[in-house]
Amino acid sequence: MNTSLKPFNTFGIQCNAAQIVNASTTEQLIGAWQSAMSAGHPVLILGEGSNVLFLEDFSGTVILNRIEGITVHETDDAWHLEVGAGENWHQLVCFTLERNMPGLENLAMIPGCAGSSPIQNIGAYGVELSQRCEWVVCVELESGQVQRLSAAQCRFGYRDSIFKHEYQHGYAIVAVGLRLEKSWRPVLNYGDLTRLDPETATAQQVFDSVCRMRTTKLPDPRIQGNAGSFFKNPLLAAPQALRFMATHPDAPHYPQPDGSVKLAAGWLIDRCNLKGQRIGGAAVHRQQALVLINEESATSDDVVALARYVRHKVGEKFNVWLEPEVRFIGAAGEIDAVEKIA
Ligand code: NAP
């Protein structure tokens, strides 16, 4: 049996798992989890591995969530979609646009599965999953009990949700419910999208523009392994933000509804002249400093060393301490990524 995890992590890190199993139904997923548990093996449930860094061989069972299916239910004011967790996210975006159901176009080309999208509340170009998500169905793996959480119960935040907290262990997402409003308006406040006319822009134009921006700026994981943004954009509390802006008035900054201020991590890294910085086979991407890439047969040690180096350079220059957005997976499961690069 092939137990290499290389095809199952977009970083393209070579490591193995004791066992890898596919689950294409909720029952298979529960069965695989329960049998691994009764054998005392650690379990990791994975979609497409687009937000993970494997630090070493995984000593247990990796379950690939491959639950498929998209159903659409139309009402007077919206399309309601039920999407299997294993559906590829970008294919889902294409599916909706081909059927003239706008709303997901800003989220084009985000790597990964639909079932992973609520975990970190994926977002891009001014739209977050939380704005389109109606509910999430998950299963409590020990009892097999299926639960439907409303969007409010998912407690979505900036790249955050209940699935990173109370529901991190012992639960698996099996389906996501989306609501795409018929009263659609394009969201055009980011990058090249600001050049489109809000009165005439179509969802297809937004999609094309997002795809163009992502293709020019972001590395294709099939060519250069990566896991998208490696670090979260830091959120500063208002007093700290005031002090920061006094010394760095040119820094891009985005006030948040709760009074905190979001900084662009990519800008901070770039200002430390780290684009292209390399340790072993890992490098800071030259077009987008927020992305660390597997430039040439990188090991996870290379990536960790580079992440630590970036965190320290940025911390020493700006007194802002970056935290990984990517999840770090050790031999027995997820470990604290901040601690690892502290
Ligand atoms: P960018 O345009 O270079 O902007 C840098 C950062 O500034 C972004 O991360 C974004 O924060 C923030 N920003 C820019 N314009 C903003 C606005 N009008 N209002 C509020 N915040 C604004 O960003 P980029 O790296 O090319 O990425 C473009 C989009 O794709 C961003 O939304 C980014 O989050 C998303 N993306 C996500 C990943 C991932 O792995 N999570 C990877 C690549 C790109 P936000 O991140 O909060 O939007």
Side-chain angles (χ1 to χ4, degrees), residues 51 120 123-126 158-159 189-191 214 217-218 227-229 233 254 262 264 288 290-291 325:
N51 199 39
Q120 64 153 339
Y125 303 99
Y158 175 62
R159 304 287 184 264
N189 41 0
Y190 267 58
R214 292 191 76 107
K217 215 166 157 189
L218 294 169
S229 304
N233 285 327
Y254 304 94
K262 181 179 72 183
Q288 168 51 291
L290 193 48
V291 180
E325 180 178 298

Side-chain angles (χ1 to χ4, degrees), residues 30-44 61 141-142 170:
I30 296 168
W33 187 88
Q34 291 183 347
S35 63
M37 280 292 148
S38 50
H41 295 163
V43 181
L44 177 70
T61 302
L141 291 155
E142 197 169 336

